[in-house]
Amino acid sequence: MSGWTILCDFDGTISVEDVIDSLLDRFGRPGWEVLERDWRAGLIGSRECMAGQVALLEMTRAELDAHLAELWIDHAFPGFVAKTRELGVPVRVVSDGLDYAIHRILGRYGLDDLPLAANHLAPATPPKQWRLTSPFQAEGCRSGTCKCACAEQARRDGAKTLLIGDGASDFCAADRVDFVFAKHRLIEHCRAAGIPYMPITGFEDALDLLPRLLDGSLAQHARYHEAATA
Ligand SMILES: [Mg+2]
Ligand SMILES: [Zn+2]
């Protein structure tokens, strides 16, 4: 046991593309753009936004599966997971995306056994309709999957927690973990909020940084990095 546990975002972090965005582009009936705008404006939470958007998808399961078969993950993610297993660091995928899509995509790499917290995509009636439920939502939180609750749970379990993520759905969890490997918009959030982090471009970087996180040398380096970029 390393004393660390890893929470890892899916869309834009493990996967190259955002799954729901790509599905809406291809199978979304009109109306999803309004929900997107309301969510960006802070009028609705991600749970309400995505439940509405998923209800506007019109696709068969075969169409969905064919689409998911074309979505790719960071080429270094399987090697990263293999390394965490070698080092005894548990990884949990925490996603405000779709459980079915994540299982399908990770399954191609033999990684669908990773523990997962995500929204649940289920077929609805009439045919070609779908619906979204959020088994990992939390009281008082407007997200589908409450990543802050996942971070709190990891902390209660006694491990130090590393978050790997890229975007807005990771902001609240970033405030509650011990260290962040940050991509894209999450970099600026961590910098502005004074959260200990290292910027990464992908899992190749994460793989390089992991041993230094575990031996404690990274926390020190991150403080210098912070001072240098302040
Ligand atoms: Mg993301
Ligand atoms: Zn939350």
Side-chain angles (χ1 to χ4, degrees), residues 33-51:
E33 300 92 336
V34 181
L35 290 162
E36 192 78 11
R37 203 163 57 225
D38 286 353
W39 171 71
R40 286 191 191 283
L43 300 175
I44 58 174
S46 70
R47 184 169 70 239
E48 186 178 344
C49 175
M50 287 186 298

Side-chain angles (χ1 to χ4, degrees), residues 29 86 100 102 121 195:
R29 285 175 291 147
E86 186 187 314
Y100 179 78
I102 295 169
L121 179 70
I195 295 164

Side-chain angles (χ1 to χ4, degrees), residues 91-171:
V91 176
R92 184 184 193 198
V93 178
V94 289
S95 166
D96 213 0
L98 309 173
D99 58 355
Y100 179 78
I102 295 169
H103 280 300
R104 290 291 296 194
I105 294 169
L106 290 183
R108 299 207 308 266
Y109 304 88
L111 295 175
D112 50 339
D113 57 341
L114 284 173
L116 170 67
N119 299 292
H120 179 56
L121 179 70
T125 45
K128 300 181 83 172
Q129 305 303 301
W130 298 82
R131 72 183 213 103
L132 188 80
T133 54
S134 297
F136 296 93
Q137 63 178 279
E139 185 100 30
C141 175
R142 298 194 302 172
S143 299
T145 295
C146 180
K147 296 192 187 187
C148 20
C150 295
E152 295 287 1
Q153 191 192 329
R155 168 180 288 182
R156 276 198 305 277
D157 293 345
K160 287 193 172 190
T161 307
L162 169 72
L163 173 72
I164 307 177
D166 76 314
S169 79
D170 304 306
F171 289 0

Side-chain angles (χ1 to χ4, degrees), residues 8-71:
C8 189
D9 173 54
F10 186 79
D11 290 274
T13 300
I14 297 173
S15 74
V16 177
E17 263 182 278
D18 184 284
V19 172
I20 295 183
D21 287 353
S22 73
L23 288 171
L24 289 167
D25 277 340
R26 192 148 167 193
F27 302 112
R29 285 175 291 147
W32 66 264
E33 300 92 336
V34 181
L35 290 162
E36 192 78 11
R37 203 163 57 225
D38 286 353
W39 171 71
R40 286 191 191 283
L43 300 175
I44 58 174
S46 70
R47 184 169 70 239
E48 186 178 344
C49 175
M50 287 186 298
Q53 290 180 328
V54 162
L56 290 167
L57 289 171
E58 189 167 356
M59 61 193 177
T60 63
R61 185 177 295 271
E63 285 170 332
L64 170 60
D65 289 348
H67 180 82
L68 296 176
E70 292 171 7
L71 298 182

